[in-house]
Amino acid sequence: MYQILSWLRRSSQPAFFVRSAEVVPCPCCGGELQVAGSRGRVWYRSSGERASLIIRRLYCKSCARIHHELPDLLVPYKRYDAESIESVLAEPDASTVAADESTMTRWMAWFRVWAVYAAGALQAISIRFHLPVEQASGAPQSALHQLDQYVGDAAGWLGRIVRPIANSNLWVTDPFCLSVRLPLS
């Protein structure tokens, strides 16, 4: 999805307005979406700098649900950009992200659980749309290697995982849903 980030000045704090250049159908039913307003969203860059976005709220006429139009640089329910989270997940020791150690630890714990779900969701999407998938040559060594066959390992891999899952309405909105399925130790 091509996103347009235009600069908008509201009062004293600058913000970016997010608007898609494409006509996007409802991820739940495929119905027509109409703009139902907007809301503010704060996100943090890897430098720790805080930025503001104005996110459009979209209303589906068919299923009467509200959806938020997120830019590709964000991960739903995360406050840091996808690039920052990706750098911590790929190389935790070499990361230069301005985030607390506890935040980075939570990202890694979230990803270990979420990657299993994401691999299943990407497999379901590839089957549904008859997309070719490169088969891994051997057993996957980590959660990240398991996802490589779907999106590759080049920069921006987290965004390439998040986008189809969110746009197919397969994103788990409750973070506790995934952790409940873990075996107790």
Side-chain angles (χ1 to χ4, degrees):
M1 175 187 300
Y2 176 70
Q3 299 285 339
I4 298 173
L5 294 176
S6 59
W7 190 71
L8 176 70
R9 182 178 287 274
R10 281 197 174 177
S11 64
S12 64
Q13 176 138 6
F16 292 95
F17 184 79
V18 178
R19 180 174 44 103
S20 176
E22 301 173 353
V23 177
V24 181
C26 174
C28 298
C29 69
E32 182 182 347
L33 295 173
Q34 69 182 30
V35 178
S38 61
R39 70 178 202 64
R41 167 85 191 261
V42 173
W43 62 284
Y44 296 95
R45 297 183 173 116
S46 60
S47 63
E49 180 184 351
R50 180 182 169 160
S52 296
L53 297 173
I54 305 298
I55 305 290
R56 289 194 314 171
R57 298 176 76 231
L58 304 172
Y59 173 76
C60 178
K61 295 177 180 180
S62 301
C63 65
R65 292 186 183 189
I66 297 285
H67 304 282
H68 293 91
E69 185 176 36
L70 290 179
D72 293 341
L73 57 95
L74 293 180
V75 176
Y77 303 102
K78 302 291 181 214
R79 295 291 170 217
Y80 281 79
D81 58 5
E83 181 183 341
S84 301
I85 297 170
E86 180 179 314
S87 69
V88 169
L89 295 174
E91 298 179 45
D93 297 332
S95 178
T96 59
V97 175
D100 294 336
E101 191 68 33
S102 63
T103 300
M104 292 188 271
T105 303
R106 279 194 312 272
W107 289 344
M108 290 184 284
W110 164 78
F111 185 74
R112 277 193 300 274
V113 175
W114 181 78
V116 176
Y117 173 78
L122 290 174
Q123 181 180 17
I125 292 168
S126 67
I127 291 170
R128 180 189 305 164
F129 296 109
H130 307 290
L131 301 173
V133 176
E134 292 182 23
Q135 296 301 320
S137 60
Q141 299 154 358
S142 70
L144 187 54
H145 288 108
Q146 193 175 13
L147 295 167
D148 284 352
Q149 63 184 349
Y150 296 103
V151 298
D153 59 354
W157 56 264
L158 184 59
R160 290 192 303 273
I161 294 170
V162 168
R163 184 175 172 214
I165 293 173
N167 288 345
S168 299
N169 197 36
L170 296 175
W171 192 268
V172 178
T173 57
D174 186 1
F176 298 107
C177 288
L178 294 174
S179 62
V180 169
R181 296 185 181 122
L182 287 177
L184 299 174
S185 51

